[in-house]
Amino acid sequence: METFEVQLASEPDGSVEARNFKIESVGVPELGPGEVLVRLRRLGLNAGLANRIGGPDTDYGPGIHPGDVPASDGVVEVLQSRTDAFKEGELAVRKSPWRGVDVAAADKLRRISPEESDIPMEARLTVLGHVGFTAYTGMVHIGGVRAEDTVYVSGAAGGVGSCAVQFAKAVGASVVGSAGTAEKVRLLTEELGADAAFNHRDGPAAELLRSAAPDGIDLFYDNVGGDQLEAALEVLRFRGRAVICGAASQYGKGNDRRGPANYTNAIYQELTLRGFTVTAHEDLRAGFEARVAQWMNEGKVHSVHTVVEGFNHIPDAFASLLSGGNTGRMVVDCDS
Ligand SMILES: NC(=O)c1ccc[n+]([C@@H]2O[C@H](COP(=O)([O-])OP(=O)(O)OC[C@H]3O[C@@H](n4cnc5c(N)ncnc54)[C@H](OP(=O)(O)O)[C@@H]3O)[C@@H](O)[C@H]2O)c1
């Protein structure tokens, strides 16, 4: 059997572009015991992968070099099974190489219960996927969000941020979000339910945050770091909490990375800054899935994603993601 895969064709010269990839026809290996043959149906893309393309190995995976096939999370359908764990036709989530049909070890797949087939596949890559699990772990477990909190989310229109905003709203908190375009700011207030939002490019972050949250904030969910972390440390109330999820503004800066100059506010304001790594919290997954599915049924939470049609458009979709052409998660529909 033959299938297609997306390989890195050349090292990027500057930012990663679609022409750095090529689509190749390859053979599919024989299915062994404990394995399943799967077809890729939806592929979720994340910008962080760009750090590894033509780059060194990182904590998130090895460097990707010409001839390598990148992988990101995807929804797959089982075509054939040599394990009791899966039946033909069942859906699962896996870290999927960018390959149309593939052989996978069954124990590396997370099965989607057939009773939950009414939940759209895209949601498995957003609110119920890795970004949703990250936002839930950080907002609910680490941040301990409460209905009486005023919460600020940086990078709020991104994959994790758009989930973090919705989860905080679902528990009844007031939410302020920041994003980098007017369109994303509109999404935050009109579609995700944020009470206020601002474009972080419109001026000094601390001023923008103060006017969006004049009475201060109780909880900061940070995806970005840099100026926005500094702004939050100015505006957090006494005994406020900051959840350090990511630092997108500092990635790729090497030794030029900078921390907040005003970190001493943590002393006077008795602030708590707490980082986390989602992979250390797998024990929360069952509770996360049940709670978010319930919020979806109640209409409090929905999947925010941009769909690009067709497996052959994975390179274009990835390049578009890097230039901000997405709202929420970038998802490729590989059925069409
Ligand atoms: N702790 C964990 O276990 C864990 C797990 C997964 C992800 N993460 C981290 O969580 C963060 C969000 O991930 P994601 O998948 O949601 O990524 P994403 O969709 O790319 O969102 C990140 C957002 O950061 C903003 N941003 C990027 N560069 C920036 C800059 N220089 N200045 C200001 N804002 C900037 C962008 O928003 P605008 O374009 O709107 O400015 C972007 O939408 C990342 O930092 C990621 O590394 C952490």
Side-chain angles (χ1 to χ4, degrees):
M1 183 194 250
E2 291 279 304
T3 188
F4 290 97
E5 67 181 22
V6 180
Q7 298 178 359
L8 188 70
S10 56
E11 304 269 351
D13 178 17
S15 61
V16 182
E17 294 177 23
R19 64 184 172 82
N20 293 121
F21 296 96
K22 61 181 177 179
I23 295 177
E24 292 285 299
S25 171
V26 291
V28 178
E30 285 294 311
L31 201 58
E35 292 181 334
V36 286
L37 184 71
V38 294
R39 175 166 75 90
L40 182 59
R41 299 207 46 196
R42 298 288 184 279
L43 182 70
L45 301 175
N46 44 297
L49 201 64
N51 295 332
R52 290 169 38 216
I53 291 182
D57 296 352
T58 72
D59 290 347
Y60 294 103
I64 298 166
H65 301 288
D68 290 346
V69 179
S72 47
D73 51 336
V75 177
V76 295
E77 179 181 337
V78 174
L79 301 178
Q80 285 173 32
S81 173
R82 288 197 59 191
T83 160
D84 293 339
F86 283 98
K87 292 197 199 64
E88 199 179 301
E90 284 188 328
L91 296 177
V93 178
R94 74 179 290 227
K95 181 153 189 194
S96 181
W98 295 359
R99 186 176 292 130
V101 173
D102 198 22
V103 169
D107 61 3
K108 298 283 185 212
L109 269 59
R110 253 196 348 270
R111 184 170 170 271
I112 296 175
S113 161
E115 288 88 67
E116 293 174 356
S117 57
D118 53 327
I119 293 178
M121 278 187 269
E122 289 77 11
R124 300 287 169 187
L125 303 174
T126 59
V127 283
L128 279 165
H130 183 68
V131 287
F133 188 40
T134 302
Y136 179 89
T137 301
M139 183 63 80
V140 176
H141 180 68
I142 305 289
V145 65
R146 300 172 299 219
E148 58 270 31
D149 284 335
T150 297
V151 180
Y152 168 44
V153 181
S154 65
V160 174
S162 59
C163 297
V165 168
Q166 294 192 81
F167 297 168
K169 285 306 301 175
V171 303
S174 297
V175 180
V176 175
S178 66
T181 65
E183 178 60 22
K184 289 182 184 178
V185 169
R186 191 199 59 75
L187 172 95
L188 286 169
T189 52
E190 292 180 18
E191 285 185 41
L192 298 182
D195 302 275
F198 62 87
N199 183 339
H200 61 83
R201 298 179 208 281
D202 280 352
E207 281 175 28
L208 295 166
L209 179 56
R210 254 190 219 294
S211 50
D215 297 328
I217 59 172
D218 304 290
L219 174 61
F220 175 41
Y221 190 105
D222 193 16
N223 292 304
V224 165
D227 292 346
Q228 295 189 64
L229 173 55
E230 235 164 54
L233 292 181
E234 287 302 312
V235 175
L236 274 163
R237 292 187 187 128
F238 189 69
R239 298 215 173 124
R241 299 103 71 201
V243 176
I244 311 299
C245 172
S249 73
Q250 303 299 304
Y251 297 156
K253 290 197 168 170
N255 289 337
D256 292 334
R257 276 176 309 188
R258 71 174 181 86
N262 59 348
Y263 77 97
T264 47
N265 285 5
I267 305 168
Y268 316 118
Q269 292 287 75
E270 294 201 357
L271 306 177
T272 305
L273 273 70
R274 195 169 157 202
F276 75 100
T277 294
V278 67
T279 46
H281 296 276
E282 203 47 42
D283 55 310
L284 300 177
R285 190 176 289 278
F288 149 72
E289 287 181 344
R291 194 143 180 218
V292 174
Q294 186 190 337
W295 283 335
M296 287 184 82
N297 285 335
E298 292 168 358
K300 290 180 173 167
V301 161
H302 62 278
S303 174
V304 181
H305 54 263
T306 299
V307 175
V308 168
E309 307 274 347
F311 179 88
N312 289 348
H313 289 119
I314 292 172
D316 305 312
F318 189 65
S320 164
L321 169 71
L322 297 180
S323 56
N326 62 307
T327 309
R329 191 87 199 264
M330 180 67 94
V331 175
V332 181
D333 177 349
C334 300
D335 286 354
S336 48

